[in-house]
Each structure stands twice: as C-alpha cells, then as structure tokens.
C-alpha cells in the first residue's frame, strides 16, 4: 500500500489496513513534517508505516532522532526539472540590469494572500523611494482577482504572471524575492534568487503555533543546510519598517547576496541523488523492495 499524501485520512487508512492484514507493506510517500510540529507522532507511526519516502535530505535523520519509521531520502521532484531553474547566460545578464525585477510571492491560499499583500505592498512603496525596480507577482487563476483587488492601489501596480513556464522564466531573471514561507522558497533557491521570507497567521493562532513548532526556522533551504542564511520574519515583524531594510540588504549588499547564492549551491548539491538517479525511480525501487520483502 502506497500513501502519497500526509493528510490525516490517509494515515487513518494505513492504521486500518495494518489492523486488517499486518502482512501488507505500507509505504508513505512524502514525510509528514513531524520534525517541525507534534514530534511525538513519529514514534506512533512505526506501528503502521513500514517506510517513509522523504523529499528533503534532512528528514531521514530527523525521523531517526525521533524514533520514527525507517525513512529514505528519494529526492525531490523539483530536481528533475533543471530545465526550469538552471540559469542561462542571458538570465544572468538580465539580473544585473536595472530596473531590477522583484518577485512578490504572498502564498497560495486566499487567507494568507490577504494577510501578506498589505505589508508587502507597504514594503514595495517604501523601497521604491530609494531603489529602481519592477514588481511581479505570479498568480494562480482562482486568486488572480484577489491579488488584483488588493494591489490596485499600490503606487506602482505589479505585473501579474500566470502559468508555470512564465513563473520559472521570471525566477530565472529575478534580482530578489519577498516570499511567504513554503515550497516556493525551495524553488527560489534552486533558481538562485536571493530572498527574504515572511509569514503571518491570525492572532489567535500565534500562541498555539508557538507551543507546537519545534524548529528554529520554517524556511526549507535554511533547514536543509542547518543554518539561518535566509532572513525570515513573522507576525509583528511582517511590516514595511522591518522588511524594507532586509530587502535593501538583498539589493545592495554583495556579501549578503553572495551568502545566499553560496547557500543555494549547497542546497542543490545536498538534494542530488547518487549517480544522478531520478527521484521517481528511487521511490519506485523502495516500494518494490518493500513488496519483495513481504512475499513468502
């Protein structure tokens, strides 16, 4: 049995299958982020998960430390799309030309977009007093109107970009990014876009998250290299007065930019699989290994 989601219903299904027939191998594709919150779940999963196939290179050690199921790093699907994120000469040249391209990434859910676009817009307005740049926001169709409504009154409305190919073309030429935390930070790292990261939840959720979260960073590239290289800001610090100086560093400070660019090389290297194997192939090999092991 292969579980391809970290949702609670799938894990409940795994428990039921294990109870009905303990001989059926159960493999979990994509590791639940127990290393970030509710770590006690890791050990409980050993009772009904035979192996976890992890997309991030630090997760096997995290699960081992937490006494969780056997966990194997099988590679992230993103690493197979080097055509999307590898920079060509013209991309490198475009990044050095002014006005620079600043990418704004407020998240993929309507609630977080509404929470973040206001302080992001204030930051853009403040930064534009001292720097020359153009602003771009990749959007998905169902959020386009929301983004248009919120950004309509920005001093200089952003250019909205839609579609995967257009988004990656923008990343390859972007000078900097202001992003919500999430998978997009890994995408930016692979495309070598220096960034600052911000995230904000509703006020009532903050004390709950503070009790549940067990990591000192929720930015994926920072977690992969085990260093807080990418600046990250949360809650009350998600405001123009804090974000603008941080973005200025990314624009102006060569040392700050180079620190991130060096980090991105480490991220790409750490995510590579031996012999440049395909993540899909490695995942399939592990599933077959578990099936063979269960055969009489």
């Amino acid at each position: 049995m292969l579980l391809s989601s970290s949702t609670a219903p799938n894990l409940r299904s795994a428990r039921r299958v294990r109870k009905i027939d303990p001989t059926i191998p159960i493999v979990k594709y994509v590791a639940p982020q127990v290393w970030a919150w509710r770590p006690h779940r890791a050990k409980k999963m050993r009772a009904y998960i035979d192996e976890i196939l992890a997309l991030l290179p630090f997760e096997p050690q995290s699960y081992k430390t937490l006494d969780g199921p056997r966990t194997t790093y099988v590679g992230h699907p993103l690493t197979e799309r080097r055509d999307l994120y590898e920079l060509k000469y013209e991309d490198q040249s475009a990044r050095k030309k002014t006005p620079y391209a600043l990418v704004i990434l407020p998240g993929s859910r309507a609630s977080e977009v509404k929470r973040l676009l206001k302080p992001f817009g204030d930051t853009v307005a403040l930064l534009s007093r001292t720097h020359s740049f153009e602003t771009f926001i990749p959007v998905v169709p169902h959020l386009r109107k929301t983004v248009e409504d919120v950004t309509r009154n920005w001093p200089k409305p952003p250019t909205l970009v839609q579609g995967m190919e257009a988004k990656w073309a923008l990343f390859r030429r972007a000078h900097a990014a202001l992003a919500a935390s999430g998978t997009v930070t890994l995408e930016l790292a692979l495309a070598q876009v220096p960034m600052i990261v911000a995230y904000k939840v509703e006020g009532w959720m903050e004390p709950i998250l503070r009790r549940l979260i067990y990591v000192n960073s929720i930015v994926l590239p920072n977690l992969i290299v085990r260093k807080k290289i990418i600046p990250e800001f949360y809650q009350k610090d998600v405001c123009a007065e804090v974000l603008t100086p941080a973005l200025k560093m990314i624009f102006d400070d060569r040392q700050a930019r180079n620190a991130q660019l060096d980090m991105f090389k480490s991220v790409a290297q750490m995510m590579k699989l031996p012999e440049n194997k395909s993540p899909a192939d490695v995942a399939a090999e592990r599933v077959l290994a578990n099936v063979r092991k269960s055969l009489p």
Side-chain angles (χ1 to χ4, degrees):
M1 178 178 180
L2 176 64
L3 302 175
S4 59
S5 169
S6 59
T7 57
N10 265 344
L11 296 178
R12 287 196 294 270
S13 296
R15 289 195 290 270
R16 288 196 293 269
V17 168
R18 179 51 45 94
K19 187 175 182 180
I20 294 169
D21 188 346
T23 67
I24 297 175
I26 301 176
V27 179
K28 177 76 184 68
Y29 181 67
V30 183
Q33 295 180 346
V34 296
W35 39 265
W37 66 297
R38 297 175 66 189
H40 62 277
R41 293 183 301 161
K43 190 172 183 177
K44 291 181 179 179
M45 289 169 63
R46 291 181 58 181
Y48 55 90
I49 300 291
D50 294 297
E51 184 170 1
I52 294 173
L53 308 183
L55 304 189
L56 300 171
F58 64 85
E59 290 180 315
Q61 182 57 50
S62 295
Y63 269 85
K64 184 177 181 180
T65 301
L66 295 172
D67 200 20
R70 179 173 68 251
T71 304
T72 303
Y73 174 59
V74 298
H76 198 290
L78 273 175
T79 61
E80 292 192 280
R81 295 302 312 270
R82 295 175 65 176
D83 58 305
L84 292 177
Y85 61 78
E86 281 195 338
L87 305 185
K88 301 177 179 63
Y89 174 78
E90 55 267 29
D91 299 323
Q92 295 280 16
S93 299
R95 287 187 171 186
K96 299 173 184 177
K97 295 178 181 177
T98 55
Y100 294 135
L102 171 64
V103 185
I104 303 291
L105 297 143
S108 57
R109 294 188 294 272
S111 57
E112 61 185 358
V113 167
K114 290 176 181 177
R115 278 194 297 271
L116 290 175
L117 268 185
K118 173 61 168 65
F120 283 8
D122 293 343
T123 300
V124 168
L126 193 55
L127 186 64
S128 65
R129 296 179 187 177
T130 56
H131 291 69
S132 174
F133 60 91
E134 294 180 345
T135 307
F136 299 83
I137 302 182
V139 294
V140 290
H142 71 279
L143 289 178
R144 187 178 186 104
K145 187 177 186 304
T146 299
V147 174
E148 287 175 339
D149 291 344
V150 177
T151 61
R152 186 172 289 117
N153 295 323
W154 284 18
K156 187 178 180 182
T159 299
L160 305 189
V161 172
Q162 193 167 313
M164 184 181 71
E165 295 291 339
K167 181 188 79 170
W168 282 103
L170 173 60
F171 284 4
R172 291 194 300 270
R173 294 179 172 239
H175 184 75
L178 170 56
S181 62
T183 303
V184 74
T185 61
L186 190 56
E187 296 177 349
L188 291 168
L190 291 173
Q192 301 175 52
V193 185
M195 72 190 92
I196 68 168
V197 175
Y199 201 68
K200 195 172 185 178
V201 297
E202 295 289 355
W204 65 269
M205 289 184 64
E206 184 176 359
I208 298 172
L209 289 179
R210 288 190 184 279
R211 289 197 301 270
L212 291 176
I213 292 177
Y214 285 79
V215 289
N216 65 357
S217 173
I218 60 172
V219 178
L220 291 178
N222 283 346
L223 289 168
I224 290 172
V225 301
R226 303 287 185 176
K227 293 179 183 178
K228 289 186 76 170
I229 305 293
I230 297 170
E232 50 191 294
F233 305 93
Y234 303 98
Q235 296 306 98
K236 63 181 177 60
D237 288 332
V238 182
C239 62
E241 293 74 20
V242 174
L243 299 180
T244 304
L247 257 185
K248 282 184 178 180
M249 289 280 288
I250 300 302
F251 270 78
D252 301 333
D253 189 320
R254 183 173 295 179
Q255 186 174 352
R257 288 184 63 82
N258 286 342
Q260 290 204 32
L261 292 172
D262 289 342
M263 173 210 202
F264 299 155
K265 292 176 185 176
S266 297
V267 169
Q269 187 62 38
M270 294 172 74
M271 292 185 70
K272 275 185 179 179
L273 290 169
E275 303 172 7
N276 287 322
K277 287 186 175 180
S278 158
D281 289 344
V282 176
E285 288 170 5
R286 292 311 309 155
V287 171
L288 288 173
N290 278 276
V291 171
R292 293 189 190 103
K293 187 177 178 181
S294 69
L295 295 176

